[in-house]
Amino acid sequence: MRGEYKVPGGKLVAVDLQATDGRISEATVSGDFFLEPDEALEDINAALVGLADDVAVEDIATSIAARLPEHAELIGFTPEAVGIAVRRALGFATRWEDHTFDLIPPVTMDPRMHVALDEVLAGAVGRGESGPSLRFWDWDRGLVVIGSFQSYQNEIDEEGRERHGIDVVRRITGGGAMFMEPGNCITYSLIVPASLVEGLSFQRSYEFLDDWVMGALAELGITARYVPINDIASDKGKIAGAAQRRLAGGVVLHHVTMAYDIDADKMLEVLRIGREKMSDKGTTSANKRVDPMRSQTGLPRAQIIDSFMKHFEGKYATARRDYTEAELAAAQSLVESKFSRPEWTHRVP
């Protein structure tokens, strides 16, 4: 059996192994990484032999660390990376290439519908009714989307919200508030089986799931990097923030919002957000617009989204589709029963 894992920003790790009577009986690690001393590779191989064939990533990493000489240097990979490759070889983890992704272009609708569609589509993947998907949002009105654990009264300036006629909805993932008006952001949701992030910590899974978009940004001339825990930034400042939740049925919901052209004055009147936090969003003055994607690419928002979709299609197996009537009906039902109700929106006062 063979498993491979490409470390985000690092090197490829491959493991060829055999298992006999519930134990790993042979193991060979290879890749384009660097390792000193050379003999440490034999220690890594030996650390895998004898482990149970359902061993967890953290236990694999512990076994490797215990066998390595004290002065060993692993460059471009880690014991955890070897563990993920082992789990893939054993059939517990999957690769991007093991899946065909539904690719859903942006559809303009009530932004609360997009919040609900995250839950609807994730549930379908968990029940085995559909495969993983990447979808882009588009919306027809202003809305603030607050994180699952944020305090409404701490985040929202009620007077400013009413003056600008902007509603608030609480999403099912954590993270910070999203100030959304038509055309001001680029938002996508990625819904995948948990096997794709098998063995990755929450923090590492953020970077792993957004590795594709780093390539998409590079094609647009933006050199981006991941800033732990959940930000994407360039040399000119923050571009995007991500949020994630692992759901029942072995599903991961991961979404990202990139600032395209935000009215910073209005945002500051609606959100209780300090100047210090504004500074990491690409502006030092409330009179300026938060526009990293527009200013750094010089491209229309629709062209950027189209470029993202084509980049994803070029990397992975995809099938473009629209939302089904059943998905939209289920989302509308959730909007009415959950996402429009004050009990949910104000669940953290």
Side-chain angles (χ1 to χ4, degrees):
M1 297 174 282
R2 180 178 176 86
E4 296 181 352
Y5 174 63
K6 170 66 169 61
V7 179
K11 298 298 184 178
L12 176 72
V13 178
V15 178
D16 293 278
L17 58 82
Q18 292 187 21
T20 305
D21 297 329
R23 297 280 173 181
I24 296 174
S25 54
E26 296 182 27
T28 302
V29 175
S30 61
D32 60 356
F33 50 78
F34 300 93
L35 177 63
E36 293 291 342
D38 185 84
E39 297 77 20
L41 184 61
E42 298 175 9
D43 295 314
I44 294 175
N45 293 337
L48 302 179
V49 174
L51 296 178
D53 61 8
D54 60 353
V55 62
V57 169
E58 53 267 29
D59 294 328
I60 297 171
T62 297
S63 179
I64 292 172
R67 291 293 295 261
L68 285 172
E70 185 176 347
H71 58 286
E73 291 188 58
L74 284 64
I75 304 168
F77 77 118
T78 63
E80 290 80 7
V82 178
I84 294 168
V86 169
R87 292 284 290 182
R88 287 182 174 180
L90 293 168
F92 293 103
T94 57
R95 306 171 302 154
W96 291 93
E97 293 78 11
D98 295 327
H99 304 282
T100 296
F101 294 82
D102 289 339
L103 183 60
I104 306 176
V107 177
T108 302
M109 64 180 82
D110 183 334
R112 295 174 300 177
M113 283 285 287
H114 284 293
V115 176
L117 279 165
D118 273 345
E119 187 167 331
V120 169
L121 295 179
V125 173
R127 294 188 298 272
E129 297 171 358
S130 65
S133 64
L134 171 67
R135 69 182 190 90
F136 288 84
W137 299 26
D138 219 338
W139 49 96
D140 59 5
R141 68 196 74 178
L143 187 76
V144 173
V145 183
I146 58 175
S148 181
F149 310 108
Q150 288 188 295
S151 163
Y152 183 100
Q153 62 186 10
N154 288 344
E155 294 297 324
I156 305 299
D157 185 310
E158 196 65 13
E159 181 181 340
R161 183 197 69 76
E162 291 181 355
R163 182 169 64 253
H164 291 291
I166 294 179
D167 288 330
V168 179
V169 67
R170 185 182 297 277
R171 63 180 184 266
I172 63 173
T173 59
M178 301 156 56
F179 180 76
M180 306 178 73
E181 291 187 293
N184 76 340
C185 296
I186 297 170
T187 298
Y188 64 81
S189 294
L190 185 62
I191 299 172
V192 301
S195 61
L196 188 62
V197 295
E198 164 71 30
L200 294 174
S201 66
F202 277 95
Q203 181 170 322
R204 290 188 179 182
S205 68
Y206 275 89
E207 183 177 8
F208 177 76
L209 291 176
D210 284 330
D211 188 55
W212 72 271
V213 87
M214 298 301 180
L217 288 168
E219 288 183 354
L220 295 174
I222 298 177
T223 302
R225 64 185 184 280
Y226 219 87
V227 181
I229 299 175
N230 63 331
D231 288 343
I232 298 173
S234 72
D235 292 340
K236 296 181 180 180
K238 180 176 175 178
I239 294 173
Q244 189 183 110
R245 183 174 173 183
R246 302 193 183 194
L247 299 163
V251 179
V252 177
L253 165 63
H254 178 92
H255 51 212
V256 171
T257 293
M258 298 183 173
Y260 178 75
D261 189 9
I262 296 174
D263 184 334
D265 284 347
K266 186 183 294 187
M267 180 169 66
L268 284 174
E269 292 175 11
V270 175
L271 298 181
R272 300 183 186 279
I273 178 174
R275 295 293 181 88
E276 181 178 355
K277 191 167 184 179
M278 281 293 294
S279 67
D280 79 349
K281 296 180 181 294
T283 182
T284 57
S285 169
N287 294 319
K288 294 182 180 179
R289 301 187 74 85
V290 183
D291 65 347
M293 290 302 295
R294 183 182 65 82
S295 62
Q296 293 186 43
T297 66
L299 297 174
R301 175 176 173 272
Q303 188 173 339
I304 295 173
I305 294 173
D306 185 61
S307 178
F308 281 4
M309 289 193 294
K310 289 179 178 177
H311 179 84
F312 194 85
E313 286 175 316
K315 287 180 68 69
Y316 309 119
T318 62
R320 289 205 186 197
R321 73 169 179 90
D322 296 322
Y323 298 109
T324 67
E325 291 185 6
E327 289 167 345
L328 293 174
Q332 183 60 51
S333 178
L334 266 180
V335 168
E336 296 169 1
S337 65
K338 180 177 181 177
F339 293 111
S340 293
R341 298 184 66 83
E343 295 92 338
W344 170 256
T345 304
H346 296 267
R347 76 182 187 102
V348 182

